[in-house]
Amino acid sequence: MPNHHPENVLDAVIVGGGPAGLSAALVLGRARKHVAVIDEGKPRNAVTGSTHGFLTRDPIPPQELRRIAAEQLGQYPSVRLVADTVSALTGSDGAFAVTTAQGQTYRARKVLLAAGMKDAPLPIPGLAEVYGRSAFVCPFCDGWELRERPLAVLAKGGDAMHLLKLLKGWSETLALCTNGPSELTDEQKGELAQRGIPVYEAPIARIDSRDGQARGIALADGTEVACKGIFFRSQLVPGAGLAEAAGCAHTEHGAVEADATGQTSVPGIYSAGDAASASHQAIAAAASGSMAGAGITFALNAEAWQRAGGAG
Ligand SMILES: Cc1cc2nc3c(=O)[nH]c(=O)nc-3n(C[C@H](O)[C@H](O)[C@H](O)COP(=O)(O)OP(=O)(O)OC[C@H]3O[C@@H](n4cnc5c(N)ncnc54)[C@H](O)[C@@H]3O)c2cc1C
């Protein structure tokens, strides 16, 4: 039997039902904890047809991964999946309150923030048509599908160098479009020249494509950069502003600071997945969600142990 909660307080509320939140729910459900996973259903990878590189599920449509997870979570009666948007988080360790857009309030001892990150759209005409089909953000996720194609990288400065160095493992034919000043040092420009990687600084007029497949990048100065695939550096914003509002510390890269168990700088608030990591992959998000589920279980069981000993 699941643990009994006469005062109607959940053990945990999980904000976000992506790989991280669902994986945490699995651990918590199996640990007999009462949890609600509240998810607004707008995953970061909604634009793609397939999630790649997830062991035993390579490839799988993102929504199918979630469907299987939800089906298997159905085995655990103390786990509830809720379609709603969390709008506010108040309270403190042991007594949190989460309110939603539909006007519900969930009380919980612990909160897991697994709301992911979102890619702010780049204002480049034609990018929306290719995004998720032949333009991507992560070589590990989609480099294999674009291997050996001529690739254009849309980024600047250190980000551009990082992506180009990585992508050289997938394609020999690379070009850099910086859509304005490149922000590269002379040394970096030299490195690229030595490796035959052209740098185009002119503003991008549009991305040309057919049926989602990139064919080239038209620059404002009339240059056409041929390519059959694009990787770009997007600007990431938190999936939900809840961690900021709750006062959780963040890393310099904008991720929520969390230890190996997902515990943030605010007692009782945990975070996992893209929201709490600089590396963004579904299997890594699921793994950190699993760790957070275990961390929350440890904390809850330790508190129950103390209470049973008369310590409050
Ligand atoms: C274009 C693209 C392609 C990708 N391809 C791959 C790939 O092939 N392989 C791979 O491993 N990874 C891939 N990724 C990365 C992968 O999508 C992420 O690493 C993964 O989804 C992170 O899981 P998560 O659970 O942390 O967040 P998400 O999957 O983003 O889930 C977070 C959930 O929280 C919800 N949410 C946010 N705010 C609230 C709120 N206030 N209330 C309720 N719910 C909320 C969101 O709607 C969302 O459903 C790709 C990413 C992109 C952008």
Side-chain angles (χ1 to χ4, degrees):
M1 284 287 288
N3 296 344
H4 181 57
H5 286 287
E7 70 279 53
N8 223 4
V9 175
L10 292 163
D11 289 309
V13 163
I14 299 173
V15 184
L22 292 170
S23 179
L26 180 60
V27 172
L28 286 159
R30 292 179 52 77
R32 307 171 66 230
K33 303 305 177 203
H34 284 79
V35 298
V37 183
I38 306 174
D39 184 62
E40 67 179 3
K42 295 179 191 159
R44 184 170 168 212
N45 57 359
V47 292
T48 76
S50 296
T51 294
H52 303 111
F54 199 108
L55 191 67
T56 78
R57 296 278 182 265
D58 182 36
I60 185 169
Q63 59 278 21
E64 179 64 1
L65 187 73
R66 286 177 172 226
R67 189 198 63 74
I68 295 170
E71 184 182 289
Q72 295 184 351
L73 282 167
Q75 299 176 89
Y76 304 100
S78 62
V79 176
R80 198 175 144 201
L81 304 181
V82 181
D84 203 345
T85 301
V86 173
S87 46
L89 162 64
T90 56
S92 58
D93 195 10
F96 290 106
V98 161
T99 47
T100 71
Q102 290 174 21
Q104 300 296 314
T105 298
Y106 296 81
R107 302 194 183 281
R109 297 184 197 280
K110 310 287 176 194
V111 172
L112 172 62
L113 300 177
M117 299 293 267
K118 292 198 189 311
D119 303 87
L122 292 187
I124 296 177
L127 182 58
E129 283 83 340
V130 290
Y131 184 34
R133 300 181 74 183
S134 60
F136 296 96
V137 291
C138 163
F140 291 104
C141 299
D142 299 288
W144 173 258
E145 283 63 37
L146 301 189
R147 68 193 182 282
E148 293 172 13
R149 293 192 197 182
L151 300 177
V153 166
L154 314 187
K156 290 176 190 277
D159 283 344
M161 294 302 290
H162 174 76
L163 256 179
L164 288 164
K165 268 183 210 172
L166 195 56
L167 280 168
K168 207 61 171 143
W170 279 271
S171 172
E172 277 303 314
T173 314
L174 301 173
L176 174 62
C177 297
T178 59
N179 200 20
S182 69
E183 297 173 16
L184 294 169
T185 63
D186 288 344
E187 197 185 334
Q188 289 170 328
K189 284 180 183 166
E191 273 188 54
L192 297 181
Q194 279 166 4
R195 287 157 182 84
I197 299 173
V199 179
Y200 301 95
E201 292 191 298
I204 296 172
R206 65 175 187 283
I207 293 170
D208 294 320
S209 63
R210 182 181 290 171
D211 298 331
Q213 296 307 307
R215 294 160 70 101
I217 297 180
L219 304 181
D221 65 2
T223 308
E224 275 284 334
V225 182
C227 69
K228 289 190 171 169
I230 294 171
F231 280 88
F232 64 101
R233 178 58 75 215
S234 64
Q235 206 207 324
L236 286 173
V237 292
L242 299 168
E244 291 77 0
C248 297
H250 284 66
T251 68
E252 57 175 315
H253 302 295
V256 179
E257 236 175 64
D259 70 14
T261 69
Q263 173 63 65
T264 69
S265 61
V266 177
I269 300 184
Y270 293 71
S271 188
D274 280 10
S277 170
S279 103
H280 297 160
Q281 282 195 278
I283 200 159
S288 73
S290 174
M291 289 297 287
I296 291 170
T297 302
F298 267 118
L300 289 168
N301 288 1
E303 287 161 16
W305 182 275
Q306 286 298 108
R307 280 197 301 275

